[in-house]
Amino acid sequence: MGVAGVDLSSAEPGLSAWLAAGFHGDMHYMQAHGLKRARPGELVPGTVSVITARMDYLPADTPAGWQAVEFDRLTHPSEAIVSVYARGRDYHKVMRSRLQKLSDQIAAELVPLGYRVFTDSAPVLEAELAARSGQGWRGKHTLLLSREAGSMFFLGEIFVNMALPVSEPVAPHCGSCNACIDICPTQAIIAPHRLDARRCISYLTIEHAGPIPLELRPLIGNRIYGCDDCQLICPWNKFAQRSTLPDFDARAGLVGSQLVTLFGWSEDEFLRFTEGSPIRRIGHERWLRNIAVAMGNALRGRAAAGGVNAGANVASCVDRAGLLAALQQRADHPSEVVREHVAWALDWAVNL
Ligand code: B12
Ligand code: SF4
Ligand code: SF4
């Protein structure tokens, strides 16, 4: 944990430039609040300090060398890849409730305090606040990074109406490394610390509602929810810590499942299997859209563009008949978005 002040004015020009460039795509919530995002005192009047927290999320049973295990999934194109942060319980719930408990306790036992807690739940520049309060530095991929914990952690804050001594920021340690920029499958990191979200697979599979741009579909490979590549390649993630909470243990079905299996889930099954998971928020339609793209890519038979195994020919381990049959079963799906992505996948598979 650390403490930041509320003056983020030096971040405002960067936020405005990012929005003006349209890098937020259709994440209208990023634009809606304008510069309030950089002004904690406007979001919660009376706020004079922000207590910041980070919380590790690697599942407790994560093996040594887990980055190689994750990269290897890209060479099994029939397997569905859900990014690591989304395999357990929704962090919004886990972290917010713990911060709420902590604040209640501080207010009850230590000092009367006005407070509000947030974890990606309001217009707050979380990584900026965390960087200013010594939680780590901003990596070139834009995420917060620490020498003790890499970047596999969530951020959260307690806005308080009491002036607290501010923590010292830490020096950046990216040096001349550019590994995250180089590995990004869609070249979404257009320069150090500059992310065009519209190209990011995390945006395309989670935040974006409509059709996925055609030129980006092949680059998504078999990633069906989020993307971890820029973090997997980061040398500092050898220091990433396992979570001590069972909440972040991976749920059955979300690791190592076949695309065909997840594509077969009915809407009821989708809602049941994703109860309490962040995945639920994308809904069944986007879920099918994402998996259809991955199935098209699997049929095409090449390892996901980008990743360390880029271009490897992996057609031999793909059950073409099974994938084609599953796609054809959804060809008349009531959603136009699903139908169009299924048609694309079938077409992409045959028109080599
Ligand atoms: C919107 C959002 C996204 C978007 C955009 C990401 C982004 N980098 O902006 C998308 C959907 C792509 C995304 C993806 C992911 N996200 Co996200 N996301 C957010 C969210 C809600 C807001 C981030 C934000 O404010 N972006 C706006 C830009 C302007 O901010 P910025 O990067 O700080 O930019 C500063 C400078 O770089 C500069 N700048 C940036 N661009 C430009 C352009 C120009 C021209 C100029 C001059 C300056 C400039 O100015 C800014 C101010 O100083 C935060 C939660 C929160 N409320 O903060 C989570 C958050 C950043 N995400 C998180 C996570 C885990 C992820 C993923 C790893 C999930 C996944 N596995 O798929 C990926 C990682 C992708 C990546 N490399 O960033 C965590 C990160 C934890 C950490 N260790 O840092 C957060 C903090 C959520 C949380 N509470 O834990 N995310
Ligand atoms: S999450 Fe994936 S697509 Fe997004 S910036 Fe990182 S490597 Fe690129
Ligand atoms: S991969 Fe390299 S440049 Fe990117 S965040 Fe990690 S250390 Fe920094």
Side-chain angles (χ1 to χ4, degrees), residues 73-81 185-186 201 204-205 212-226 259-260 263 288-306 311-320 323-324 327 341-352:
R73 299 187 196 282
L74 293 165
T75 63
H76 299 95
S78 311
E79 181 183 326
I81 307 179
T186 53
I201 292 171
L204 294 168
T205 55
I212 296 175
L214 288 173
E215 69 280 12
L216 297 177
R217 293 182 195 179
L219 308 180
I220 290 176
N222 51 336
R223 304 166 186 87
I224 64 159
Y225 187 97
L259 293 168
V260 167
F263 198 62
L288 293 180
R289 174 201 66 178
N290 296 349
I291 304 174
V293 169
M295 288 167 87
N297 290 333
L299 281 162
R300 193 78 170 190
R302 296 191 73 80
N313 198 338
V314 287
S316 54
C317 55
V318 167
D319 167 17
R320 288 185 66 84
L323 286 162
L324 286 169
L327 280 166
H341 285 74
V342 166
W344 173 86
L346 290 168
D347 187 55
W348 179 238
V350 291
N351 290 323
L352 293 171

Side-chain angles (χ1 to χ4, degrees), residues 14 18 124 126 138 141-142 144 151 155 193-194 202 227-228:
W18 190 79
V124 178
E126 297 192 315
R138 303 295 301 274
H141 47 26
T142 79
L144 197 84
S151 62
L155 298 175
H193 313 287
R194 305 279 180 270
S202 186
C227 169
D228 288 321

Side-chain angles (χ1 to χ4, degrees), residues 21-285:
F23 289 164
H24 59 297
D26 55 18
M27 292 184 288
H28 303 300
Y29 64 89
M30 288 301 296
Q31 199 157 26
H33 305 277
L35 291 175
K36 196 187 238 187
R37 188 168 285 274
R39 297 176 183 171
E42 276 184 26
L43 182 66
V44 182
T47 301
V48 287
S49 295
V50 177
I51 302 175
T52 62
R54 53 170 216 238
M55 193 162 141
D56 303 316
Y57 65 74
L58 277 187
D61 63 354
T62 302
W66 57 277
Q67 296 98 323
V69 174
E70 295 303 325
F71 272 133
D72 191 53
R73 299 187 196 282
L74 293 165
T75 63
H76 299 95
S78 311
E79 181 183 326
I81 307 179
V82 169
S83 63
V84 177
Y85 90 91
R87 294 177 185 172
R89 194 166 141 75
D90 191 343
Y91 71 95
H92 298 89
K93 299 174 202 265
V94 178
M95 195 165 184
R96 255 183 84 193
S97 67
R98 290 171 73 90
L99 285 177
Q100 185 68 43
K101 226 172 172 175
L102 174 65
S103 322
D104 293 345
Q105 226 166 325
I106 294 173
E109 293 176 24
L110 294 179
V111 59
L113 192 67
Y115 57 88
R116 286 274 303 276
V117 304
F118 301 106
T119 298
D120 200 359
S121 50
V124 178
L125 273 188
E126 297 192 315
E128 277 296 316
L129 285 165
R132 281 155 202 254
S133 52
Q135 303 279 13
W137 73 95
R138 303 295 301 274
K140 291 181 187 173
H141 47 26
T142 79
L143 300 167
L144 197 84
L145 195 54
S146 134
R147 290 175 77 152
E148 298 85 42
S151 62
M152 309 304 281
F153 51 76
F154 301 120
L155 298 175
E157 306 76 31
I158 310 173
F159 283 28
V160 295
N161 64 354
M162 175 180 282
L164 298 170
V166 170
S167 317
E168 272 296 303
V170 299
H173 292 283
C174 283
S176 59
C177 174
N178 277 317
C180 52
I181 298 176
D182 295 341
I183 200 162
C184 175
T186 53
Q187 296 297 287
I189 310 168
I190 55 166
H193 313 287
R194 305 279 180 270
L195 185 95
D196 182 349
R198 294 169 301 182
R199 297 189 66 82
C200 177
I201 292 171
S202 186
Y203 166 83
L204 294 168
T205 55
I206 303 172
E207 301 287 338
H208 176 63
I212 296 175
L214 288 173
E215 69 280 12
L216 297 177
R217 293 182 195 179
L219 308 180
I220 290 176
N222 51 336
R223 304 166 186 87
I224 64 159
Y225 187 97
C227 169
D228 288 321
D229 290 25
C230 53
Q231 300 193 88
L232 296 178
I233 200 71
C234 179
W236 290 103
N237 269 328
K238 62 174 167 284
F239 301 110
Q241 305 288 326
R242 276 75 182 152
S243 172
T244 51
L245 301 178
D247 301 78
F248 297 132
D249 287 351
R251 293 178 172 207
L254 296 182
V255 190
S257 283
Q258 293 294 297
L259 293 168
V260 167
T261 309
L262 303 188
F263 198 62
W265 283 358
S266 66
E267 184 159 15
D268 281 352
E269 284 170 321
F270 171 80
L271 293 173
R272 188 149 36 92
F273 293 135
T274 59
E275 175 111 51
S277 143
I279 298 175
R280 202 175 214 237
R281 286 187 296 149
I282 70 168
H284 191 231
E285 184 186 70

